[in-house]
Amino acid sequence: MKMLKDVSVGGGLKDLVTLLRRHPREQAMPALLAFACSGFIFFLFIIDPKINTDMPKTQEIIYVENWSLDRTDEEILKDRWAVQCLKDKRDAKRREAMKTLGRMSGMDVEAIEREAEAERLARGDVEVERPAGMTC
């Protein structure tokens, strides 16, 4: 290691000071940028372990509705149609919101709806009638 015996920190600092004294304006800006970039990277290493260290959220508990085994077919259909009514109400609300948006955008909403109905009938989609006494 003959090469490393001539290396010293003090000599390196003296060379740096001598170099900066000769051409201070030409080397000041690159030196500041180098120190700023290095300092910023060092700062990122310091703050990185402190970011996103929250405790994980607790798991959401979902309760499932249980039914008795001795339910009749009528009770099962009544429950299914009740759920279907909720879905229909949700879909109708969304459909009205989309129609309002379409009207605001200058679209002919009624023509679009007629075309969609014609396509639905052409596919053979038929709306199932609700049992007697079932209203939403």
Side-chain angles (χ1 to χ4, degrees):
M1 291 287 166
K2 199 175 196 182
M3 180 177 66
L4 293 178
K5 72 176 182 158
D6 296 332
V7 176
S8 69
V9 176
L13 290 176
K14 284 180 189 176
D15 286 345
L16 178 64
V17 170
T18 304
L19 184 67
L20 290 176
R21 281 189 186 159
R22 279 191 220 155
H23 309 284
R25 290 190 180 176
E26 293 175 2
Q27 296 167 348
M29 189 57 126
L32 287 175
L33 285 173
F35 283 120
C37 291
S38 301
F40 180 69
I41 291 171
F42 185 68
F43 175 72
L44 289 178
F45 278 118
I46 290 173
I47 66 167
D48 184 51
K50 299 174 184 155
I51 295 176
N52 293 332
T53 56
D54 299 1
M55 294 298 293
K57 293 182 180 178
T58 58
Q59 293 183 351
E60 182 181 353
I61 298 173
I62 300 173
Y63 293 96
V64 179
E65 187 175 347
N66 292 323
W67 294 285
S68 62
L69 294 175
D70 58 344
R71 290 191 314 154
T72 62
D73 289 341
E74 290 81 23
E75 291 173 337
I76 294 171
L77 286 174
K78 182 180 177 186
D79 289 340
R80 286 185 183 172
W81 281 110
V83 171
Q84 187 62 43
C85 282
L86 293 174
K87 289 180 182 180
D88 290 345
K89 287 179 183 178
R90 179 197 63 203
D91 292 344
K93 186 176 179 181
R94 184 174 178 351
R95 196 174 304 113
E96 287 303 316
M98 290 297 126
K99 283 182 185 179
T100 303
L101 180 63
R103 285 187 194 101
M104 291 171 60
S105 300
M107 296 179 178
D108 186 7
V109 178
E110 285 73 24
I112 294 172
E113 191 172 6
R114 282 191 303 270
E115 290 174 12
E117 182 67 20
E119 287 177 13
R120 187 180 68 81
L121 291 174
R123 280 193 315 260
D125 293 347
V126 184
E127 188 170 325
V128 178
E129 292 186 25
R130 298 187 188 280
M134 292 297 302
T135 57
C136 290

